[in-house]
Amino acid sequence: MLEKLLVQYCKSVRFVVWAIGRSVSFLMPVMAFIVAYEVFARYFLDAPTIWAYDTSLFLFGYISALGGAYAQQKKSHINVDILYLHVSITVRRIFSIVTILLAVAFLVVMTKVSFEKFLETVEYGYKLQSEWAPNVHHFWFMICVAGVLFIAEYTAQLICHVFWLLTKRDLMPGIYEEQVHTAQQQPDNAETKKANQKEVIEVPVGGQHGN
């Protein structure tokens, strides 16, 4: 029963992160169009806008922040894996857990500060210091949402790592395989391959079942 609840939670988080990440990706061509239009208006029409720079700045922030959790889900963030690729899968999982705990601690502080800034901007009506001077409360609220998404994605990954360490089974088969496969393709990690093969042999037959 508990395992099913954990699977459902992880699947729900991954779906929400995926949906939001894919949705904000459609803002990229919009941002590109706005920048291109501003260049055309400034240098060809000699009539620069007062809103293009601020709008593109906001859009870039939305894309980067709201897409961060999706990038984490797709393992697209840069990793320093000098040690990571030369240890067994068990040690990698432990490394991942430590990294997640540190990241979540930072994200909790960031989300808390962002929410306080959101309330402050709503109360005092802060605006961006530019000629257009748009409101900025929506931007701080977006940072809060991005932080919550990131934390949710990290908790889903944390659950999967801890579950594997306790049971030597994947809570959601397929999620971690890509990372293992990438490490196995490294030309200088023969020891890692041996360690991984040994752990796979030691996994009981029941470990092949996902849910």
Side-chain angles (χ1 to χ4, degrees):
M1 180 63 181
L2 177 60
E3 183 174 339
K4 290 182 178 180
L5 290 175
L6 294 176
V7 170
Q8 188 59 45
Y9 171 78
C10 293
K11 285 183 177 180
S12 299
V13 168
R14 288 179 62 83
F15 175 78
V16 172
V17 170
W18 172 85
I20 294 178
R22 294 289 292 180
S23 298
V24 297
S25 67
F26 291 105
L27 295 177
M28 295 183 68
V30 176
M31 182 180 68
F33 174 79
I34 291 174
V35 173
Y37 176 79
E38 172 64 12
V39 172
F40 176 78
R42 178 180 296 272
Y43 294 103
F44 291 92
L45 303 180
D46 195 25
T49 67
I50 65 172
W51 54 267
Y53 176 78
D54 294 338
T55 302
S56 61
L57 188 66
F58 283 139
L59 288 177
F60 179 77
Y62 271 73
I63 294 168
S64 301
L66 293 176
Y70 180 61
Q72 174 63 28
Q73 184 181 107
K74 301 294 290 183
K75 302 182 179 68
S76 298
H77 290 294
I78 297 175
N79 294 318
V80 180
D81 49 14
I82 297 175
L83 295 176
Y84 189 83
L85 296 179
H86 292 81
V87 296
S88 67
I89 297 179
T90 298
V91 178
R92 289 185 212 169
R93 299 272 186 172
I94 295 174
F95 281 172
S96 296
I97 290 174
V98 173
T99 302
I100 289 172
L101 293 177
L102 293 174
V104 168
F106 168 78
L107 288 166
V108 168
V109 174
M110 184 197 76
T111 304
K112 178 179 179 295
V113 172
S114 298
F115 186 70
E116 292 173 352
K117 293 293 294 183
F118 165 71
L119 295 178
E120 184 180 344
T121 55
V122 170
E123 181 179 359
Y124 295 102
Y126 290 158
K127 298 179 182 295
L128 198 64
Q129 295 182 351
S130 65
E131 186 177 359
W132 190 34
N135 291 313
V136 296
H137 60 273
H138 63 90
F139 193 78
W140 286 111
F141 183 74
M142 178 275 297
I143 296 296
C144 296
V145 174
V148 172
L149 283 175
F150 236 131
I151 293 171
E153 175 61 29
Y154 269 130
T155 56
Q157 293 185 8
L158 178 65
I159 289 171
C160 291
H161 289 310
V162 172
F163 184 86
W164 190 92
L165 288 176
L166 295 176
T167 66
K168 288 297 185 292
R169 293 191 294 115
D170 283 316
L171 181 64
M172 298 176 64
I175 292 179
Y176 196 68
E177 291 177 0
E178 181 179 352
Q179 195 168 353
V180 174
H181 174 74
T182 301
Q184 293 284 21
Q185 297 304 312
Q186 300 298 320
D188 59 344
N189 64 340
E191 295 181 359
T192 304
K193 293 180 180 180
K194 291 180 180 179
N196 290 341
Q197 290 173 356
K198 181 179 179 181
E199 291 204 24
V200 170
I201 293 175
E202 293 177 352
V203 172
V205 176
Q208 300 298 323
H209 299 288
N211 300 336

Coordinates of all heavy atoms in Angstrom, one line a residue, residues 74-145:
K74 N 15.0 15.7 -16.4 CA 15.7 15.1 -17.6 C 17.2 15.0 -17.4 O 17.9 14.6 -18.3 CB 15.4 16.0 -18.8 CG 13.9 16.3 -19.1 CD 13.2 15.0 -19.5 CE 13.7 14.6 -20.9 NZ 13.0 13.3 -21.4
K75 N 17.7 15.2 -16.2 CA 19.1 15.1 -15.9 C 19.9 16.0 -16.8 O 21.0 15.6 -17.3 CB 19.6 13.7 -16.0 CG 18.9 12.7 -15.0 CD 19.4 11.3 -15.1 CE 18.7 10.4 -14.2 NZ 17.3 10.2 -14.5
S76 N 19.5 17.2 -17.1 CA 20.1 18.1 -18.0 C 21.0 19.1 -17.3 O 21.7 19.9 -18.0 CB 19.0 18.9 -18.8 OG 18.3 18.0 -19.6
H77 N 21.0 19.2 -16.0 CA 21.9 20.1 -15.3 C 23.3 19.6 -15.3 O 23.6 18.4 -15.4 CB 21.4 20.3 -13.9 CG 20.2 21.1 -13.7 ND1 20.1 22.4 -14.1 CD2 18.9 20.8 -13.3 CE1 18.8 22.9 -13.9 NE2 18.1 21.9 -13.4
I78 N 24.3 20.5 -15.3 CA 25.7 20.1 -15.3 C 26.1 19.5 -14.0 O 25.7 19.9 -12.9 CB 26.6 21.4 -15.5 CG1 26.3 22.0 -16.9 CG2 28.0 21.0 -15.4 CD1 27.0 23.3 -17.1
N79 N 26.7 18.3 -14.1 CA 27.2 17.6 -12.9 C 28.7 17.5 -12.9 O 29.4 17.3 -13.9 CB 26.6 16.1 -13.0 CG 25.1 16.1 -12.8 OD1 24.6 16.8 -12.0 ND2 24.5 15.2 -13.6
V80 N 29.3 17.6 -11.7 CA 30.7 17.4 -11.5 C 30.8 15.9 -11.1 O 30.6 15.6 -9.9 CB 31.3 18.3 -10.4 CG1 32.8 18.1 -10.3 CG2 31.0 19.8 -10.8
D81 N 31.2 15.1 -12.0 CA 31.1 13.6 -11.8 C 32.5 13.0 -11.8 O 32.6 11.8 -12.2 CB 30.2 13.0 -12.8 CG 30.5 13.4 -14.2 OD1 31.6 13.9 -14.4 OD2 29.6 13.1 -15.1
I82 N 33.5 13.7 -11.3 CA 34.8 13.1 -11.3 C 34.9 11.8 -10.4 O 35.4 10.8 -10.8 CB 35.9 14.1 -10.8 CG1 35.9 15.3 -11.8 CG2 37.3 13.4 -10.7 CD1 36.8 16.4 -11.3
L83 N 34.2 11.9 -9.3 CA 34.2 10.8 -8.4 C 32.9 9.9 -8.7 O 33.0 8.7 -8.5 CB 34.1 11.2 -6.9 CG 35.4 12.0 -6.4 CD1 35.1 12.4 -4.9 CD2 36.6 11.0 -6.4
Y84 N 31.9 10.6 -9.1 CA 30.6 9.9 -9.2 C 30.7 8.7 -10.2 O 30.0 7.7 -10.0 CB 29.6 10.9 -9.8 CG 28.2 10.4 -9.8 CD1 27.4 10.5 -8.6 CD2 27.6 10.0 -10.9 CE1 26.0 10.1 -8.6 CE2 26.3 9.5 -11.0 CZ 25.5 9.6 -9.8 OH 24.2 9.2 -9.8
L85 N 31.4 8.8 -11.3 CA 31.5 7.8 -12.3 C 32.4 6.6 -11.9 O 32.4 5.6 -12.6 CB 31.9 8.4 -13.6 CG 31.0 9.4 -14.3 CD1 31.6 9.9 -15.6 CD2 29.6 8.8 -14.5
H86 N 33.1 6.8 -10.8 CA 34.1 5.7 -10.4 C 33.7 5.0 -9.2 O 34.5 4.4 -8.5 CB 35.5 6.4 -10.3 CG 36.1 6.9 -11.5 ND1 35.7 8.1 -12.1 CD2 37.0 6.3 -12.4 CE1 36.4 8.3 -13.2 NE2 37.2 7.2 -13.4
V87 N 32.4 5.1 -8.8 CA 32.0 4.4 -7.6 C 30.8 3.5 -8.0 O 30.2 3.6 -9.1 CB 31.6 5.4 -6.5 CG1 32.8 6.2 -6.0 CG2 30.5 6.3 -7.0
S88 N 30.4 2.7 -7.1 CA 29.3 1.7 -7.3 C 28.0 2.5 -7.3 O 27.9 3.7 -6.9 CB 29.3 0.7 -6.3 OG 28.9 1.2 -5.0
I89 N 26.9 1.8 -7.8 CA 25.6 2.4 -7.9 C 25.1 2.8 -6.5 O 24.5 3.9 -6.3 CB 24.6 1.4 -8.5 CG1 25.0 1.1 -10.0 CG2 23.2 2.0 -8.5 CD1 24.1 0.2 -10.7
T90 N 25.4 2.0 -5.5 CA 25.0 2.3 -4.1 C 25.6 3.6 -3.6 O 24.9 4.5 -3.1 CB 25.4 1.2 -3.2 OG1 24.8 0.0 -3.5 CG2 25.0 1.5 -1.7
V91 N 26.9 3.8 -3.9 CA 27.5 5.1 -3.5 C 27.0 6.2 -4.3 O 26.8 7.3 -3.7 CB 29.1 4.9 -3.6 CG1 29.7 6.3 -3.2 CG2 29.6 3.8 -2.8
R92 N 26.7 6.0 -5.5 CA 26.1 7.1 -6.3 C 24.8 7.5 -5.7 O 24.4 8.7 -5.7 CB 25.9 6.6 -7.8 CG 27.1 6.4 -8.6 CD 26.8 6.1 -10.0 NE 27.8 5.2 -10.6 CZ 27.6 4.6 -11.7 NH1 26.5 4.7 -12.4 NH2 28.6 3.8 -12.2
R93 N 24.0 6.5 -5.3 CA 22.7 6.9 -4.7 C 22.9 7.7 -3.5 O 22.1 8.7 -3.2 CB 21.9 5.6 -4.4 CG 21.6 4.7 -5.6 CD 20.3 5.1 -6.2 NE 19.9 4.1 -7.2 CZ 18.8 4.1 -7.8 NH1 17.8 5.0 -7.5 NH2 18.5 3.2 -8.8
I94 N 23.9 7.4 -2.7 CA 24.1 8.1 -1.5 C 24.6 9.5 -1.8 O 24.2 10.5 -1.2 CB 25.2 7.4 -0.6 CG1 24.7 6.1 -0.1 CG2 25.6 8.3 0.6 CD1 25.7 5.2 0.6
F95 N 25.5 9.7 -2.8 CA 25.9 11.0 -3.3 C 24.7 11.8 -3.7 O 24.6 13.0 -3.4 CB 26.8 10.8 -4.5 CG 28.2 10.5 -4.1 CD1 29.2 10.2 -5.1 CD2 28.7 10.5 -2.8 CE1 30.5 9.9 -4.8 CE2 30.0 10.2 -2.4 CZ 30.9 9.9 -3.4
S96 N 23.7 11.2 -4.4 CA 22.6 11.9 -4.9 C 21.7 12.3 -3.8 O 21.1 13.4 -3.8 CB 21.7 10.9 -5.8 OG 22.5 10.6 -7.0
I97 N 21.6 11.5 -2.7 CA 20.7 11.9 -1.6 C 21.3 13.1 -0.9 O 20.6 14.0 -0.5 CB 20.6 10.7 -0.6 CG1 19.7 9.6 -1.2 CG2 20.0 11.1 0.7 CD1 19.7 8.3 -0.4
V98 N 22.6 13.1 -0.7 CA 23.3 14.2 0.0 C 23.1 15.5 -0.8 O 22.8 16.5 -0.3 CB 24.8 13.9 0.2 CG1 25.5 15.2 0.7 CG2 25.0 12.7 1.2
T99 N 23.3 15.3 -2.1 CA 23.1 16.5 -3.0 C 21.7 17.0 -3.0 O 21.4 18.2 -2.9 CB 23.4 16.1 -4.5 OG1 24.8 15.6 -4.6 CG2 23.3 17.3 -5.4
I100 N 20.7 16.1 -3.0 CA 19.3 16.5 -2.9 C 19.0 17.3 -1.6 O 18.3 18.3 -1.6 CB 18.4 15.3 -3.1 CG1 18.5 14.8 -4.5 CG2 17.0 15.6 -2.7 CD1 17.7 13.5 -4.7
L101 N 19.5 16.7 -0.5 CA 19.2 17.4 0.8 C 19.8 18.8 0.8 O 19.2 19.7 1.3 CB 19.8 16.5 1.9 CG 19.1 15.2 2.1 CD1 19.9 14.4 3.2 CD2 17.7 15.3 2.5
L102 N 21.0 19.0 0.3 CA 21.6 20.3 0.3 C 20.8 21.2 -0.6 O 20.6 22.4 -0.3 CB 23.1 20.2 -0.2 CG 24.0 19.5 0.8 CD1 25.4 19.3 0.1 CD2 24.2 20.2 2.1
A103 N 20.4 20.7 -1.8 CA 19.7 21.5 -2.8 C 18.3 21.9 -2.2 O 17.9 23.1 -2.3 CB 19.5 20.8 -4.1
V104 N 17.6 21.0 -1.5 CA 16.3 21.3 -1.0 C 16.4 22.4 0.1 O 15.6 23.3 0.3 CB 15.7 20.0 -0.4 CG1 14.4 20.4 0.4 CG2 15.3 19.1 -1.6
A105 N 17.5 22.3 0.9 CA 17.7 23.3 2.0 C 17.8 24.7 1.4 O 17.3 25.6 1.9 CB 18.9 22.9 2.8
F106 N 18.6 24.8 0.3 CA 18.8 26.0 -0.4 C 17.5 26.5 -1.0 O 17.1 27.7 -0.8 CB 19.8 25.9 -1.5 CG 19.9 27.1 -2.4 CD1 20.5 28.3 -2.0 CD2 19.3 27.0 -3.7 CE1 20.5 29.4 -2.9 CE2 19.3 28.1 -4.5 CZ 19.9 29.3 -4.1
L107 N 16.7 25.6 -1.6 CA 15.5 26.0 -2.2 C 14.4 26.4 -1.2 O 13.6 27.3 -1.5 CB 15.0 24.8 -3.1 CG 15.8 24.5 -4.3 CD1 15.4 23.1 -4.9 CD2 15.5 25.6 -5.4
V108 N 14.4 25.8 -0.1 CA 13.4 26.2 1.0 C 13.7 27.7 1.4 O 12.8 28.5 1.5 CB 13.5 25.3 2.2 CG1 12.8 25.9 3.4 CG2 13.0 23.9 1.8
V109 N 15.0 28.0 1.6 CA 15.3 29.4 1.9 C 15.0 30.3 0.8 O 14.4 31.4 1.0 CB 16.8 29.5 2.3 CG1 17.2 30.9 2.5 CG2 17.1 28.6 3.5
M110 N 15.3 29.9 -0.4 CA 15.0 30.8 -1.6 C 13.5 31.0 -1.8 O 13.1 32.1 -2.0 CB 15.5 30.1 -2.9 CG 15.4 31.0 -4.1 SD 15.6 30.0 -5.6 CE 14.0 29.1 -5.7
T111 N 12.7 30.0 -1.6 CA 11.3 30.1 -1.7 C 10.7 31.0 -0.6 O 9.8 31.8 -0.9 CB 10.6 28.7 -1.7 OG1 11.2 27.9 -2.7 CG2 9.1 28.8 -1.9
K112 N 11.2 30.8 0.6 CA 10.7 31.6 1.7 C 11.0 33.1 1.5 O 10.1 34.0 1.6 CB 11.3 31.2 3.0 CG 10.9 32.0 4.2 CD 11.6 31.4 5.5 CE 11.2 32.3 6.7 NZ 11.8 33.6 6.6
V113 N 12.2 33.4 1.0 CA 12.6 34.8 0.8 C 11.8 35.4 -0.4 O 11.3 36.5 -0.3 CB 14.1 34.9 0.5 CG1 14.5 36.3 0.0 CG2 14.9 34.5 1.7
S114 N 11.6 34.6 -1.4 CA 10.8 35.0 -2.6 C 9.4 35.3 -2.2 O 8.8 36.3 -2.7 CB 10.9 34.0 -3.7 OG 12.2 33.8 -4.1
F115 N 8.8 34.5 -1.4 CA 7.4 34.7 -1.0 C 7.3 36.0 -0.1 O 6.4 36.8 -0.3 CB 6.9 33.5 -0.2 CG 5.4 33.6 0.2 CD1 4.5 33.5 -0.8 CD2 5.0 33.9 1.5 CE1 3.1 33.6 -0.5 CE2 3.7 34.0 1.8 CZ 2.7 33.9 0.8
E116 N 8.3 36.2 0.7 CA 8.3 37.5 1.5 C 8.4 38.7 0.6 O 7.8 39.7 0.8 CB 9.5 37.5 2.5 CG 9.3 36.4 3.6 CD 10.5 36.3 4.5 OE1 11.5 36.9 4.1 OE2 10.4 35.6 5.5
K117 N 9.3 38.6 -0.5 CA 9.4 39.7 -1.4 C 8.1 39.9 -2.2 O 7.8 41.0 -2.6 CB 10.6 39.4 -2.4 CG 12.0 39.4 -1.7 CD 12.3 40.8 -1.3 CE 12.5 41.7 -2.4 NZ 13.0 43.1 -1.9
F118 N 7.5 38.8 -2.5 CA 6.2 38.9 -3.2 C 5.2 39.7 -2.4 O 4.5 40.6 -2.9 CB 5.6 37.5 -3.5 CG 4.2 37.4 -3.9 CD1 3.8 37.9 -5.1 CD2 3.2 36.9 -3.0 CE1 2.4 37.9 -5.5 CE2 1.9 36.9 -3.4 CZ 1.5 37.4 -4.6
L119 N 5.1 39.3 -1.1 CA 4.1 40.0 -0.3 C 4.5 41.5 -0.1 O 3.7 42.4 -0.1 CB 4.1 39.4 1.1 CG 3.6 38.0 1.2 CD1 3.6 37.5 2.6 CD2 2.1 37.9 0.7
E120 N 5.8 41.8 -0.1 CA 6.3 43.2 0.0 C 6.0 44.0 -1.3 O 5.5 45.1 -1.2 CB 7.8 43.2 0.2 CG 8.4 44.5 0.5 CD 9.9 44.5 0.7 OE1 10.4 43.4 1.0 OE2 10.6 45.5 0.6
T121 N 6.2 43.3 -2.4 CA 5.9 44.1 -3.7 C 4.4 44.3 -3.9 O 4.0 45.3 -4.4 CB 6.4 43.3 -4.9 OG1 5.9 41.9 -4.9 CG2 7.9 43.2 -4.9
V122 N 3.6 43.4 -3.4 CA 2.1 43.6 -3.5 C 1.7 44.7 -2.5 O 0.9 45.6 -2.9 CB 1.4 42.3 -3.1 CG1 -0.1 42.6 -2.9 CG2 1.6 41.2 -4.2
E123 N 2.3 44.7 -1.3 CA 1.9 45.8 -0.4 C 2.3 47.2 -0.8 O 1.5 48.1 -0.6 CB 2.5 45.4 1.0 CG 2.2 46.4 2.1 CD 2.8 46.0 3.4 OE1 3.5 45.0 3.5 OE2 2.6 46.8 4.4
Y124 N 3.5 47.3 -1.3 CA 4.0 48.6 -1.7 C 4.0 48.9 -3.2 O 4.4 50.0 -3.6 CB 5.5 48.7 -1.2 CG 5.6 48.7 0.3 CD1 6.1 47.5 0.9 CD2 5.3 49.7 1.1 CE1 6.2 47.4 2.3 CE2 5.4 49.7 2.5 CZ 5.9 48.5 3.1 OH 6.0 48.4 4.5
G125 N 3.5 48.0 -4.0 CA 3.4 48.2 -5.4 C 4.7 48.5 -6.1 O 4.7 49.4 -7.0
Y126 N 5.7 47.7 -5.8 CA 7.0 48.0 -6.4 C 6.9 47.7 -7.9 O 6.2 46.8 -8.4 CB 8.0 47.0 -5.9 CG 8.5 47.4 -4.4 CD1 9.0 46.4 -3.6 CD2 8.3 48.6 -3.9 CE1 9.4 46.7 -2.3 CE2 8.7 48.9 -2.6 CZ 9.2 48.0 -1.8 OH 9.6 48.3 -0.6
K127 N 7.6 48.5 -8.7 CA 7.7 48.4 -10.1 C 9.1 48.3 -10.6 O 10.0 48.7 -9.9 CB 7.0 49.6 -10.8 CG 5.5 49.7 -10.5 CD 4.9 50.9 -11.2 CE 3.4 51.1 -10.9 NZ 2.6 50.0 -11.4
L128 N 9.3 47.8 -11.8 CA 10.7 47.7 -12.4 C 11.1 49.1 -12.7 O 10.4 49.9 -13.2 CB 10.6 46.8 -13.6 CG 12.0 46.3 -14.1 CD1 12.6 45.4 -13.1 CD2 11.8 45.6 -15.4
Q129 N 12.4 49.4 -12.4 CA 12.9 50.8 -12.6 C 13.3 50.9 -14.1 O 14.4 50.8 -14.5 CB 14.1 51.0 -11.7 CG 13.7 51.1 -10.3 CD 14.9 51.4 -9.4 OE1 16.0 51.5 -9.8 NE2 14.7 51.7 -8.1
S130 N 12.3 51.2 -14.9 CA 12.5 51.4 -16.3 C 11.4 52.4 -16.8 O 10.5 52.8 -16.1 CB 12.4 50.1 -17.1 OG 11.1 49.6 -17.0
E131 N 11.6 52.7 -18.1 CA 10.6 53.7 -18.7 C 9.2 53.1 -18.7 O 8.2 53.8 -18.4 CB 11.0 54.1 -20.1 CG 10.2 55.2 -20.7 CD 10.7 55.6 -22.1 OE1 11.7 55.0 -22.5 OE2 10.0 56.4 -22.7
W132 N 9.1 51.8 -18.9 CA 7.8 51.2 -19.0 C 7.2 50.9 -17.6 O 6.0 51.0 -17.3 CB 7.9 49.8 -19.7 CG 6.6 49.2 -20.0 CD1 5.4 49.8 -20.3 CD2 6.3 47.7 -20.0 NE1 4.4 48.8 -20.5 CE2 5.0 47.6 -20.4 CE3 7.1 46.6 -19.9 CZ2 4.4 46.3 -20.5 CZ3 6.6 45.4 -20.0 CH2 5.2 45.2 -20.3
A133 N 8.1 50.6 -16.6 CA 7.8 50.4 -15.2 C 6.7 49.4 -14.9 O 5.7 49.8 -14.3 CB 7.5 51.8 -14.6
P134 N 6.9 48.2 -15.3 CA 5.8 47.2 -15.0 C 5.9 46.7 -13.6 O 6.9 46.8 -12.9 CB 6.1 46.0 -16.0 CG 7.6 46.1 -16.2 CD 8.0 47.6 -16.1
N135 N 4.8 46.1 -13.1 CA 4.8 45.6 -11.7 C 5.7 44.3 -11.7 O 5.8 43.6 -12.7 CB 3.4 45.2 -11.3 CG 2.5 46.4 -11.1 OD1 2.9 47.3 -10.4 ND2 1.3 46.4 -11.6
V136 N 6.2 44.0 -10.6 CA 7.1 42.9 -10.4 C 6.6 41.8 -9.5 O 7.3 40.8 -9.3 CB 8.5 43.3 -10.0 CG1 9.2 44.3 -11.0 CG2 8.5 44.0 -8.6
H137 N 5.4 42.0 -8.9 CA 5.0 41.0 -7.9 C 4.8 39.6 -8.6 O 5.0 38.6 -7.9 CB 3.7 41.5 -7.3 CG 2.5 41.7 -8.3 ND1 2.4 42.9 -8.9 CD2 1.6 40.8 -8.7 CE1 1.3 42.8 -9.7 NE2 0.8 41.5 -9.6
H138 N 4.3 39.6 -9.8 CA 4.1 38.3 -10.5 C 5.4 37.6 -10.7 O 5.5 36.3 -10.6 CB 3.5 38.6 -11.9 CG 4.4 39.3 -12.8 ND1 5.3 38.7 -13.7 CD2 4.5 40.7 -13.0 CE1 5.9 39.7 -14.4 NE2 5.5 40.8 -14.0
F139 N 6.5 38.3 -10.8 CA 7.8 37.6 -11.0 C 8.3 36.9 -9.7 O 8.8 35.8 -9.8 CB 8.9 38.7 -11.4 CG 10.1 38.1 -11.9 CD1 10.2 37.6 -13.2 CD2 11.3 38.0 -11.1 CE1 11.4 37.0 -13.7 CE2 12.4 37.4 -11.6 CZ 12.5 37.0 -12.9
W140 N 8.1 37.6 -8.6 CA 8.5 37.0 -7.3 C 7.6 35.8 -7.0 O 8.0 34.8 -6.5 CB 8.4 38.0 -6.2 CG 9.5 39.0 -6.2 CD1 9.4 40.3 -6.5 CD2 10.9 38.7 -5.9 NE1 10.7 40.9 -6.4 CE2 11.6 39.9 -6.1 CE3 11.6 37.6 -5.6 CZ2 13.0 40.0 -5.9 CZ3 13.0 37.6 -5.4 CH2 13.6 38.8 -5.5
F141 N 6.3 35.9 -7.4 CA 5.4 34.7 -7.2 C 5.8 33.6 -8.0 O 5.8 32.4 -7.6 CB 3.9 35.1 -7.5 CG 3.0 34.0 -7.2 CD1 2.6 33.7 -5.9 CD2 2.4 33.3 -8.3 CE1 1.7 32.7 -5.7 CE2 1.5 32.3 -8.0 CZ 1.1 32.0 -6.8
M142 N 6.3 33.9 -9.3 CA 6.7 32.8 -10.1 C 7.9 32.1 -9.6 O 8.1 30.9 -9.7 CB 7.0 33.4 -11.5 CG 7.6 32.4 -12.5 SD 9.4 32.2 -12.4 CE 10.0 33.8 -12.8
I143 N 8.8 32.9 -8.9 CA 10.0 32.3 -8.3 C 9.6 31.3 -7.2 O 10.2 30.2 -7.0 CB 11.0 33.3 -7.7 CG1 11.5 34.2 -8.9 CG2 12.1 32.7 -7.0 CD1 12.4 33.5 -9.8
C144 N 8.5 31.7 -6.4 CA 8.0 30.8 -5.4 C 7.5 29.5 -6.0 O 7.8 28.4 -5.5 CB 6.9 31.5 -4.6 SG 7.4 33.0 -3.7
V145 N 6.7 29.6 -7.1 CA 6.2 28.4 -7.8 C 7.3 27.5 -8.3 O 7.3 26.3 -8.1 CB 5.3 28.8 -8.9 CG1 4.8 27.6 -9.7 CG2 4.1 29.6 -8.4

